[in-house]
């Protein structure tokens, strides 16, 4: 638990640093070093991996919430991978966005995202379906 909290805090601090760096200090056009991209991707994926063990997969009322959490390490890995392609690094790319493995990983992630959306659509909206509803009970008033 302490390890998960430490990695989670580090992830938040790294994200805050990047946000300040990009939005306030330098802008979107500055390049980020390959090692920073890889380190950040690994860190964010680890946070997701450590968070998965807290999920209660036996409780059907938490299915929509779980659907948003367990794919996070996979999706974070895709984001880090995309950042080291031509899209993120130009001619200095570590991976090609046109390669078959990257394209397959992209298609898999798109499918995973569509599945997540279907879980939210079908398993939320009524307190009988979910533990924590995101919908307001008196939304028509």
């Amino acid at each position: 638990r302490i390890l998960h909290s430490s990695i989670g805090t580090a992830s938040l601090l790294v994200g805050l640093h990047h946000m300040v760096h990009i939005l306030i200090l330098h802008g979107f056009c500055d390049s980020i070093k390959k090692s920073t991209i890889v380190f950040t991707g690994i860190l964010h994926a680890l946070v997701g991996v450590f968070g998965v063990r807290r999920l209660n997969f036996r409780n059907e009322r938490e299915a929509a919430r779980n659907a948003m959490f367990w794919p996070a390490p996979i999706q974070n890995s895709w984001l880090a991978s995309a950042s080291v392609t031509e899209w993120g690094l130009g001619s200095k790319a570590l991976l090609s966005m046109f390669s078959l493995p990257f394209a397959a990983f992209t298609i898999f992630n798109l499918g995973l995202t569509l599945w997540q959306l279907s879980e939210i659509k079908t398993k939320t909206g009524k307190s009988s379906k979910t533990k924590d509803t995101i919908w307001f009970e008196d939304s028509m008033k």
Side-chain angles (χ1 to χ4, degrees):
R1 193 168 234 175
I2 292 173
L3 183 62
H4 178 241
S5 296
S6 300
I7 293 173
T9 302
S11 175
L12 290 171
L13 292 174
V14 167
L16 177 66
H17 174 266
H18 286 153
M19 185 178 72
V20 169
H21 179 82
I22 291 170
L23 294 177
I24 298 171
L25 300 177
H26 297 285
F28 284 94
C29 294
D30 279 1
S31 62
I32 299 174
K33 294 187 289 185
K34 292 177 196 177
S35 59
T36 302
I37 294 170
V38 171
F39 166 74
T40 303
I42 291 170
L43 178 64
H44 292 318
L46 276 176
V47 169
V49 167
F50 281 108
V52 167
R53 66 183 187 86
R54 299 178 330 170
L55 300 178
N56 182 4
F57 291 104
R58 292 188 188 112
N59 188 343
E60 187 63 29
R61 295 178 71 192
E62 293 184 14
R65 176 180 163 263
N66 292 342
M68 296 307 296
F69 280 100
W70 73 258
I74 300 166
Q75 292 166 327
N76 287 338
S77 298
W78 181 86
L79 289 169
S81 300
S83 297
V84 295
T85 64
E86 296 90 351
W87 176 75
L89 295 176
S91 62
K92 298 176 184 176
L94 297 176
L95 299 172
S96 174
M97 66 174 35
F98 304 105
S99 70
L100 184 60
F102 185 77
F105 194 33
T106 300
I107 291 167
F108 174 76
N109 271 279
L110 288 171
L112 190 58
T113 302
L114 290 174
W115 173 80
Q116 285 177 303
L117 292 172
S118 74
E119 286 288 297
I120 292 167
K121 178 80 173 147
T122 60
K123 296 187 178 175
T124 62
K126 296 180 184 164
S127 58
S128 63
K129 288 184 178 179
T130 182
K131 184 176 179 180
D132 299 315
T133 182
I134 60 171
W135 309 105
F136 295 108
E137 289 181 25
D138 297 329
S139 62
M140 297 299 179
K141 290 185 180 181

